[in-house]
């Protein structure tokens, strides 16, 4: 299963990606983890990326693309992979297609979790994180047993300052501008598996499983 996971911030991509990775026994490749790993291992492209990060600049597309290529060329990706956080725009999507072509392979599916805007705002504005261990919660969808207290370590929960309504709206607008063309592109080449994301995490997981089974006739 070679796949990409798309969806707006707050769509629960991380959780669903973990599920797909476990189910198909493939690596979950998030851009953030990949960047951290490449800089830690000091690979040539990792060092290049670190140079931009140290200067507080965005890592350019071509560096990210080379890092993705390096990662996808490793033996653990032969059976498949799930990309999370890449590609972000049409240009990156085309670069990914080119890279996979060079590696002699192709995508099987692009899972797109579609969540209505008011739902995304609702979800993002209720997020809480543990100050101590970083565990994530949600006041409505994933509340801690005791209000404001982490289930795992007893730490204090807080809300990120960029999770307020206006900032969220701006982030969504940027997301939409970047991904609209990418989603149409995957739809036009029949890779898009669109999932209605306005449901609970478990319901979304079940729908992804069912759709991947029927759409791809996976065993
Ligand atoms: Zn904690």
């Amino acid at each position: 299963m070679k796949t990409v996971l798309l969806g707006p911030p707050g769509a629960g991509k991380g959780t669903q990606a973990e599920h797909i990775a476990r189910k198909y026994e493939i690596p979950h490749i998030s851009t953030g983890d990949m960047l951290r790993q490449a800089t830690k291992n000091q690979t040539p492209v990792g060092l290049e990326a670190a140079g931009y990060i140290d200067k507080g600049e965005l890592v350019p597309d071509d560096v990210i693309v080379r890092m993705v290529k390096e990662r996808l060329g490793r033996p653990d990706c032969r059976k498949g992979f799930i990309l999370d956080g890449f590609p972000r725009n049409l240009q990156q999507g085309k670069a990914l297609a080119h890279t996979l072509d060079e590696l002699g392979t192709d995508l099987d599916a692009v899972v797109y979790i579609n969540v209505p805007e008011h739902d995304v705002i609702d979800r993002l504005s209720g997020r809480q994180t543990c100050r101590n261990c970083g565990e994530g919660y949600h006041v409505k969808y994933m509340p801690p047993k005791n209000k404001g207290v982490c289930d795992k370590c007893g730490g204090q929960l807080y809300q990120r300052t960029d999770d307020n309504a206006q900032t969220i709206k701006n982030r969504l607008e940027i997301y939409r501008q970047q991904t609209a063309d990418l989603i149409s592109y995957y739809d036009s080449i029949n890779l898009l598996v669109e999932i209605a994301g306005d449901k609970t995490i478990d319901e979304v997981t079940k729908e992804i499983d069912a759709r991947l089974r029927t759409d791809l006739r996976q065993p």
Side-chain angles (χ1 to χ4, degrees):
M1 171 72 71
K2 297 183 173 86
T3 180
V4 164
L5 188 61
L6 297 177
K13 283 199 300 290
T15 311
Q16 302 301 347
E18 282 303 322
H19 167 78
I20 295 171
R22 263 196 312 275
K23 185 173 164 96
Y24 293 92
E25 298 175 319
I26 51 177
H28 168 200
I29 303 171
S30 83
T31 316
D33 287 347
M34 195 169 50
L35 267 169
R36 274 186 291 277
Q37 207 146 47
T39 50
K40 196 176 128 212
N41 295 342
Q42 309 213 315
T43 67
V45 70
L47 289 172
E48 206 179 322
Y52 290 100
I53 295 167
D54 289 345
K55 280 184 282 179
E57 290 171 18
L58 276 177
V59 182
D61 270 8
D62 69 294
V63 178
I64 302 267
V65 169
R66 270 183 283 141
M67 192 156 28
V68 170
K69 187 176 181 184
E70 183 181 82
R71 181 66 189 89
L72 296 184
R74 285 207 222 135
D76 66 334
C77 289
R78 244 171 247 155
K79 214 179 134 187
F81 52 78
I82 177 153
L83 280 171
D84 165 15
F86 178 91
R88 265 185 200 286
N89 53 48
L90 182 59
Q91 204 183 345
Q92 289 187 353
K94 296 219 161 142
L96 174 64
H98 182 70
T99 296
L100 290 172
D101 199 39
E102 285 178 337
L103 293 168
T105 184
D106 205 351
L107 289 175
D108 297 309
V110 173
V111 176
Y112 168 45
I113 307 175
N114 193 359
V115 185
E117 177 165 318
H118 63 90
D119 245 46
V120 174
I121 292 168
D122 195 31
R123 288 181 197 201
L124 290 178
S125 53
R127 289 205 298 197
Q128 293 184 320
T129 310
C130 173
R131 252 183 229 292
N132 184 41
C133 74
E135 183 72 7
Y137 295 89
H138 193 285
V139 288
K140 189 161 147 197
Y141 302 106
M142 211 193 285
K145 285 195 191 81
N146 297 306
K147 200 176 162 194
V149 181
C150 177
D151 290 347
K152 287 203 167 164
C153 75
Q156 189 194 12
L157 304 182
Y158 75 102
Q159 185 158 19
R160 280 168 43 164
T161 47
D162 56 352
D163 278 351
N164 69 58
Q166 193 50 49
T167 319
I168 290 167
K169 277 198 179 137
N170 295 342
R171 267 158 74 196
L172 281 180
E173 187 50 37
I174 291 167
Y175 163 80
R176 221 186 309 280
Q177 283 168 6
Q178 287 182 337
T179 52
D181 292 347
L182 181 66
I183 290 163
S184 314
Y185 162 66
Y186 282 133
D187 195 23
S188 74
I189 54 174
N190 292 320
L191 280 178
L192 201 70
V193 176
E194 186 170 338
I195 306 285
D198 54 346
K199 298 174 184 151
T200 67
I201 291 173
D202 284 349
E203 284 166 343
V204 171
T205 302
K206 280 194 190 117
E207 191 178 339
I208 291 175
D209 285 349
R211 292 288 301 282
L212 287 180
R213 213 164 35 231
T214 53
D215 288 22
L216 302 170
R217 294 175 295 281
Q218 286 281 325

